[in-house]
Amino acid sequence: MSSLDLLLATTAVGGLATFNIHSGFNEALLRGYRLGFLSDQEYHHIQQCENLEDVKLNLQETDYGNFLQNETKISPSTVREKCLDKLVSEFEYLRANADQPLAQFLDFITYDYMIDNVMLILKATLSNPNVTVSSLIEQAHPLGRFKASTLKSIVAFENSPNGYSELYQSVLIDTPIGKYFHEVIKESLSESSANGNS
């Protein structure tokens, strides 16, 4: 292999010479996140803890050490909330620095949470029309959160096949998950028209 062939092979798109331009930082970031996982030994120590204060002390020696330092009263829900906040901030940082196709892949991950949040809102408003938007925002998963105005629009929909259609046409169509709801709404409208004709 001549030196020219070697040069061409290493400078081709996706070759070794261009890999770090697009993916190097994110790979290093993910390797750092992976090193932050609890080891078997650290996890074993946490399992042996008798109370949450002991858990906090054991976590201080890991990458999770700082996320509970400002908490005076610790509960299981506080630990869960802080872990989730850490996950979301790391995910959003990774997403902000991602090039395509990694950025699109990370967006697809959030779509699942967005769909779950829409379903949470729809179910909550169907069972309790007086539910507040703030209580729904607290229950929504942070990776699938919408803007507050979008949430208010979803909560205000009318519970009927036409209401679902209007919800899709006025709110959901402008969200990344709108195309996934299109088929569901078409099926809902066709079922309601079939039930109305029989």
Side-chain angles (χ1 to χ4, degrees):
M1 181 180 235
S2 71
S3 59
L4 179 59
D5 291 334
L6 183 61
L7 179 64
L8 290 175
T10 58
T11 58
V13 175
L16 291 176
T18 62
F19 175 78
N20 282 339
I21 293 171
H22 300 288
S23 304
F25 179 72
N26 286 325
E27 181 181 355
L29 193 60
L30 283 174
R31 287 177 186 262
Y33 288 162
R34 185 178 176 279
L35 289 174
F37 290 170
L38 294 177
S39 67
D40 290 340
Q41 183 179 11
E42 291 166 337
Y43 187 72
H44 179 70
H45 285 292
I46 291 172
Q47 283 180 316
Q48 303 303 318
C49 293
E50 295 181 11
N51 58 44
L52 291 174
E53 286 299 323
D54 292 343
V55 171
K56 181 179 176 181
L57 287 173
N58 278 295
L59 286 176
Q60 284 180 347
E61 297 174 10
T62 68
D63 281 5
Y64 294 89
N66 296 332
F67 84 115
L68 287 174
Q69 73 182 8
N70 295 331
E71 298 299 320
T72 55
K73 185 176 179 188
I74 300 174
S75 67
S77 61
T78 304
V79 173
R80 181 189 181 281
E81 179 185 329
K82 293 299 181 181
C83 286
L84 192 58
D85 288 345
K86 183 178 185 326
L87 169 74
V88 169
S89 68
E90 289 174 352
F91 182 89
E92 289 174 346
Y93 186 71
L94 179 66
R95 171 59 186 95
N97 289 293
D99 287 338
Q100 295 299 339
L102 177 61
Q104 184 178 16
F105 175 75
L106 294 173
D107 286 341
F108 284 144
I109 291 173
T110 64
Y111 294 170
D112 182 45
Y113 295 105
M114 286 181 179
I115 291 169
D116 288 346
N117 286 348
V118 168
M119 296 310 295
L120 169 81
I121 293 166
L122 293 177
K123 287 176 183 176
T125 54
L126 288 174
S127 63
N128 180 9
N130 299 325
V131 70
T132 62
V133 176
S134 60
S135 68
L136 292 176
I137 290 173
E138 290 175 11
Q139 294 176 23
H141 195 283
L143 282 179
R145 286 209 175 127
F146 295 97
K147 292 182 270 185
S149 60
T150 304
L151 285 175
K152 287 178 184 176
S153 299
I154 294 171
V155 169
F157 88 100
E158 178 187 332
N159 182 15
S160 69
N162 288 338
Y164 290 123
S165 179
E166 290 171 13
L167 174 67
Y168 170 73
Q169 291 172 355
S170 62
V171 179
L172 293 177
I173 197 167
D174 292 331
T175 65
I177 59 170
K179 59 187 171 192
Y180 303 112
F181 281 93
H182 179 69
E183 288 299 318
V184 173
I185 291 172
K186 276 184 13 182
E187 288 175 15
S188 174
L189 288 174
S190 65
E191 285 176 12
S192 67
S193 64
N195 291 339
N197 292 338
S198 51

